[in-house]
């Protein structure tokens, strides 16, 4: 079987807030949208935002989805400039890091619902 990853879906509390976050901060294009669904194009893959059911949403603490998925965005600008730009918009960002024998700089941040994303830039 040959497959190609097409879409990653996040179940979220506030679709509109996250749609604006990813559209405005990462220039993702909206390709589908209705009351419970937004599909954003992120280059070779799409990110779906699906409104989670009320029963599930009530069980999750505010602004914390306890998600084990990380979205990685490769940036074209210097990673420190990208980090500073996001911090200036009030987005929580960690320090820039790398690993021995790894050819990329990395920097993690979180979206308004606590989902982790990472900036990646070739050294």
């Amino acid at each position: 079987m040959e497959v190609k990853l097409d879409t990653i879906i996040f179940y979220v509390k506030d679709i509109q807030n996250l749609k604006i976050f990813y559209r405005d901060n990462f220039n993702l294009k909206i390709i589908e949208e209705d009351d419970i669904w937004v599909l954003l194009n992120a280059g070779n893959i799409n990110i779906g935002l699906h409104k989670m059911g009320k029963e599930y949403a009530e069980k999750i603490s505010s602004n914390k989805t306890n998600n084990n998925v990380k979205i990685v965005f490769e940036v074209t600008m210097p990673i420190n400039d990208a980090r500073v730009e996001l911090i200036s918009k009030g987005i929580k960002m960690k320090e820039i890091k790398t690993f021995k024998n790894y050819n990329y700089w990395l920097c993690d941040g979180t979206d308004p619902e606590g989902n982790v994303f990472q900036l990646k830039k070739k050294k």
Side-chain angles (χ1 to χ4, degrees):
M1 173 184 349
E2 186 176 322
V3 299
K4 177 181 146 188
L5 185 59
D6 177 74
T7 304
I8 295 175
I9 298 173
F10 286 93
Y11 289 89
V12 302
K13 291 181 179 181
D14 187 340
I15 291 176
Q16 291 303 312
N17 191 28
L18 287 185
K19 172 188 80 172
I20 292 166
F21 178 84
Y22 286 107
R23 181 196 66 199
D24 292 358
N25 293 301
F26 298 102
N27 297 314
L28 303 187
K29 292 186 176 34
I30 299 166
I31 54 178
E32 288 179 21
E33 181 175 12
D34 64 28
D35 292 341
I36 63 167
W37 172 254
V38 173
L39 188 64
L40 303 158
N41 181 257
N44 293 330
I45 193 167
N46 295 320
I47 297 172
L49 304 174
H50 194 294
K51 184 164 182 66
M52 68 176 68
K54 183 178 178 182
E55 302 81 25
Y56 186 72
E58 290 172 353
K59 293 178 184 178
I60 296 176
S61 63
S62 177
N63 289 335
K64 197 67 178 161
T65 59
N66 297 320
N67 193 322
N68 64 355
V69 175
K70 182 188 291 187
I71 303 173
V72 180
F73 297 106
E74 189 164 0
V75 295
T76 55
M77 66 192 311
I79 195 165
N80 191 59
D81 293 352
R83 179 179 178 272
V84 168
E85 180 180 319
L86 293 174
I87 289 171
S88 75
K89 295 177 179 182
I91 299 168
K92 294 179 183 174
M93 300 296 297
K94 292 187 177 180
E95 296 298 320
I96 296 170
K97 65 182 179 183
T98 191
F99 301 100
K100 186 177 179 180
N101 299 322
Y102 189 62
N103 205 25
Y104 291 90
W105 293 106
L106 308 168
C107 184
D108 289 355
T110 54
D111 73 17
E113 290 197 11
N115 298 300
V116 178
F117 65 85
Q118 184 174 79
L119 304 179
K120 176 180 177 180
K121 175 68 177 172
K122 192 167 183 117
K123 291 181 181 176

